[in-house]
Amino acid sequence: MKKYNFNAGPSILPREVIEATAQACLDFNGSGLSLMEISHRAKDFQPVVDETVALFKEILNIPEGYSVIFLGGGASLEFCMIPYNFLEKKAAYLNTGVWATKAEKEAKLFGEVVEIASSKDKNFTYIPKGYEIPADADYLHITSNNTIYGTEILEDIDSPIPVIADMSSDIFSRPIDVSKYGMIYGGAQKNLSMAGVTFVIVKDELLGKVSRQIPTMLNYETHVKKGSMFNTPPVVPIYCALQNLKWIKAQGGVKEMERRAIERSELLYAEIDRNKLFVGTAEKDSRSRMNITFVLKDEYKDLEAEFLAFATSKGMVGVKGHRDVGGFRASCYNAMSLEGVKALIACMQEFEAAH
Ligand SMILES: *Cc1c(COP(=O)(O)O)cnc(C)c1O
């Protein structure tokens, strides 16, 4: 039976990306050696990093004055590296969920933190609006896509201070105006690569400004200066990211990724809104194109385990919702086909007809 992978992360990747990465693990560039057993400083590997950086810049249209680096530690390590590198006195945080809260918690270790708005009052089902950004803060931190709750900030915010965005789960899903950001970062395992590498796009002029001492490995300048080669970078995940970037470019770039994301998400939300059994959890104007969250209506709540088992029997994988939201979550990253979304909709309709 065909499986449709709706996992939230690590998550779906194009088949050809997985195959190319697997092939390089067996025989890298016809060298007779595995990608896993060569030096990251081998002359064959440097072009992989260079090309990955170049494709990042090309596909996202990153302007001059920004560096792209690859690190370990996941998005979670960035939560502490960000204040370490940028928080002198005060930072502003927009609280839109668990990841945003975790980022904010780390910043409090380094200075004053202003939470400019929060949607915690309604279990993070919406993106707050009408907040004020303090012009005297060092930066504003946002989480552009809230993977757990299925909410997303789809515009690039105008801000008097540098915006730092956790784009772990929506990077490369739409064109972004990088010039409006001081830094964009994320774990690769949602929409870029396999687990193991973190990407950071950082505006060079923001580096080296804080007065505190920064441990070498936690200092962005170290990695910018050494082109992600200060220590051994995650070689295989970077190679996998390169294959995926080539795939994105060949498909038509981020404009095409956005078109597909709109098509998939509109179709699924239309079914959620139409189907008598289900209801979406995120407010309509805050809905994510990447993580689509829905639950059974109160009167049908006892059917939850039954629907999950039914969807699983039809080949759906990973549609169980996060424990903080319950119900169901269909993560529809770049590699998710329209066919996959239609198969999930067919499940929902068949289940509705049976009840
Ligand atoms: C998954 C996720 C994280 C955590 O990423 P790690 O790489 O596991 O540290 C952080 N932020 C968002 C928005 C996520 O979706």
Side-chain angles (χ1 to χ4, degrees):
M1 180 184 38
K2 180 144 194 197
K3 298 271 174 128
Y4 296 101
N5 183 358
F6 291 97
N7 276 323
S11 39
I12 188 168
L13 286 167
R15 192 69 208 173
E16 50 265 57
V17 169
I18 295 170
E19 281 169 0
T21 306
Q23 182 51 43
C25 287
L26 295 171
D27 181 3
F28 176 56
N29 277 357
S31 64
L33 294 174
S34 167
L35 178 60
M36 300 172 189
E37 56 183 1
I38 58 162
S39 166
H40 58 294
R41 306 198 190 275
K43 70 168 176 8
D44 270 15
F45 188 70
Q46 186 61 50
V48 171
V49 175
D50 294 344
E51 209 184 328
T52 311
V53 170
L55 271 181
F56 246 86
K57 291 187 173 174
E58 181 186 334
I59 294 172
L60 289 178
N61 200 15
I62 300 176
E64 288 287 303
Y66 286 79
S67 295
V68 177
I69 50 176
F70 304 111
L71 308 172
S76 300
L77 184 58
E78 302 312 302
F79 297 164
C80 115
M81 282 177 75
I82 289 160
Y84 228 135
N85 282 262
F86 303 117
L87 201 168
E88 185 68 31
K89 279 208 171 71
K90 180 162 111 179
Y93 278 72
L94 182 63
N95 190 2
T96 53
V98 161
W99 297 118
T101 305
K102 287 185 174 172
E104 191 174 318
K105 174 172 175 261
E106 296 304 296
K108 286 175 184 161
L109 300 171
F110 296 89
E112 186 190 343
V113 170
V114 194
E115 188 175 274
I116 58 166
S118 167
S119 46
K120 193 170 181 197
D121 58 338
K122 291 185 180 165
N123 197 31
F124 302 114
T125 48
Y126 67 100
I127 301 290
K129 289 189 192 65
Y131 49 77
E132 258 181 61
I133 303 170
D136 61 342
D138 298 312
Y139 61 85
L140 165 67
H141 182 278
I142 63 166
T143 310
S144 59
N145 185 65
N146 299 282
T147 322
I148 294 172
Y149 312 90
T151 65
E152 188 172 10
I153 301 170
L154 285 162
E155 62 285 340
D156 304 309
I157 295 171
D158 287 308
S159 165
I161 54 175
V163 177
I164 297 183
D166 175 355
M167 291 199 186
S168 291
S169 50
D170 64 347
I171 190 74
F172 292 108
S173 70
R174 66 173 179 90
I176 40 179
D177 181 352
V178 176
S179 71
K180 288 190 165 177
Y181 297 86
M183 179 174 143
I184 295 168
Y185 72 98
Q189 68 276 17
K190 312 277 165 60
N191 208 20
L192 174 61
S193 183
M194 56 190 280
V197 64
T198 313
F199 65 89
V200 171
I201 304 165
V202 63
K203 194 172 192 175
D204 297 325
E205 68 179 36
L206 299 177
L207 298 172
K209 295 258 177 80
V210 284
S211 54
R212 74 173 63 82
Q213 295 264 322
I214 307 172
T216 312
M217 269 298 281
L218 300 182
N219 192 334
Y220 289 120
E221 279 192 302
T222 304
H223 302 285
V224 167
K225 278 185 191 145
K226 296 286 182 184
S228 305
M229 291 283 195
F230 173 74
N231 70 325
T232 318
V235 170
V236 180
I238 292 174
Y239 186 86
C240 181
L242 173 58
Q243 305 313 309
N244 197 27
L245 293 177
K246 286 181 178 172
W247 179 85
I248 292 170
K249 186 179 166 180
Q251 300 297 308
V254 278
K255 269 216 94 57
E256 175 62 14
M257 294 301 114
E258 179 180 47
R259 190 197 65 74
R260 292 182 192 180
I262 291 171
E263 189 178 34
R264 283 187 306 258
S265 58
E266 282 184 350
L267 203 64
L268 187 47
Y269 282 125
E271 175 60 19
I272 291 166
D273 294 341
R274 186 212 60 78
N275 194 305
K276 71 169 189 204
L277 304 178
F278 300 100
V279 60
T281 60
E283 288 188 12
K284 285 191 180 171
D285 64 355
S286 301
R287 283 174 162 179
S288 167
R289 293 173 186 157
M290 297 284 101
N291 311 97
I292 296 168
T293 49
F294 54 104
V295 293
L296 283 155
K297 286 182 186 156
D298 285 341
E299 58 269 43
Y300 299 107
K301 269 273 186 280
D302 51 339
L303 296 175
E304 195 165 302
E306 199 184 319
F307 177 69
L308 203 60
F310 176 71
T312 306
S313 77
K314 296 280 180 184
M316 307 303 129
V317 176
V319 292
K320 189 174 167 47
H322 188 280
R323 62 187 178 282
D324 288 353
V325 178
F328 314 101
R329 169 174 56 175
S331 296
C332 299
Y333 297 118
N334 284 345
M336 174 51 67
S337 61
L338 194 59
E339 180 201 327
V341 170
K342 285 181 178 164
L344 176 57
I345 289 172
C347 281
M348 294 163 74
Q349 292 178 346
E350 219 181 299
F351 197 73
E352 178 190 32
H355 294 89

